[in-house]
Amino acid sequence: NFLYALVDAHHPDGGLKIGVGVARIEVRQNQTYRNNREFWIVRTDGTETDFSFMECLRPSTPLSKFKNACRAAVAFDVARVKADFWRGKEVAACPLTGDKMTFADSHVHHAGPSDFAAIVQSFIDRNGIDVSAVSLTGTTDGTIGDRFSDPELERRFVEHHRRLAELQVVSAFGNLSVAKTAAAPSQPRLL
């Protein structure tokens, strides 16, 4: 009842998600990010769709949805970099921290002068894109996350990303703390 009320009252696409009515809400394993679980609505007519409770609490901006679609567009390339790096080895040293890492606790980091946000922004700027006008498939039943409706736009972003991205396999800790700290603008110190 709590989740139903949350989707009904606060999800930006609540009416589409609920549809003809909710028979039940399930927790399922995410098929893309195997360590994550997600909520699914099974409707009274047997159709089903996923939903994000975070969209109910803090709806995504058009720019964040566009970035999500960009990230989904290059997911295969990123996964290939990680698989190629780990082929034939079980342990490696993180280039950011020097600590040992394994496949399971490693991430692919955008190194070099263009982080992911900068690559997305340069694509938007070079193509004069109004992100609020871009059609995405995120609300389509059974579609996990935001994807571009236009395959040509997706292809162009993938090519843009391939030209600019310097992908590096690093430890999860290195990616989520060391790399973020290094990329953050320096803050003035209070004396």
Side-chain angles (χ1 to χ4, degrees):
N1 286 336
F2 171 78
L3 288 173
Y4 175 86
L6 188 67
V7 172
D8 187 39
H10 300 288
H11 196 287
D13 298 309
L16 289 172
K17 296 294 183 179
I18 290 172
V20 297
V22 176
R24 66 185 179 278
I25 295 176
E26 299 178 352
V27 177
R28 298 181 184 173
Q29 182 179 22
N30 184 296
Q31 295 302 306
T32 303
Y33 304 103
R34 307 289 290 169
N35 292 333
N36 296 343
R37 295 185 297 172
E38 59 198 14
F39 289 112
W40 279 75
I41 290 175
V42 179
R43 299 186 189 101
T44 55
D45 65 357
T47 60
E48 50 189 39
T49 191
D50 70 308
F51 74 93
S52 167
F53 77 92
M54 290 302 295
E55 279 296 312
C56 301
L57 303 177
R58 185 180 33 205
S60 299
T61 65
L63 178 59
S64 65
K65 289 175 141 322
F66 186 86
K67 283 181 183 177
N68 290 341
C70 289
R71 196 170 293 283
V74 298
F76 177 80
D77 286 357
V78 171
R80 189 182 70 239
V81 166
K82 186 173 179 179
D84 289 349
F85 177 85
W86 286 105
R87 190 168 286 113
K89 60 183 135 187
E90 292 184 22
V91 178
C94 172
L96 298 177
T97 66
D99 296 335
K100 289 182 181 179
M101 62 179 181
T102 64
F103 181 90
D105 67 357
S106 65
H107 290 181
V108 177
H109 166 65
H110 283 77
S114 296
D115 65 6
F116 187 73
I119 292 170
V120 171
Q121 192 59 54
S122 68
F123 182 73
I124 292 167
D125 294 344
R126 288 181 185 175
N127 293 280
I129 295 172
D130 174 2
V131 295
S132 63
V134 174
S135 177
L136 303 174
T137 62
T139 57
T140 306
D141 287 354
T143 301
I144 308 301
D146 296 306
R147 300 292 309 239
F148 292 116
S149 297
D150 179 357
E152 177 59 19
L153 181 62
E154 181 170 307
R155 185 198 64 74
R156 287 184 9 237
F157 178 75
V158 169
E159 290 305 316
H160 180 77
H161 183 264
R162 286 177 180 163
R163 281 191 305 276
L164 297 178
E166 294 179 33
L167 300 177
Q168 179 182 45
V169 178
V170 300
S171 68
F173 174 78
N175 188 42
L176 298 176
S177 62
V178 176
K180 298 286 188 242
T181 303
S186 59
Q187 299 293 321
R189 288 180 5 153
L190 297 176
L191 299 176

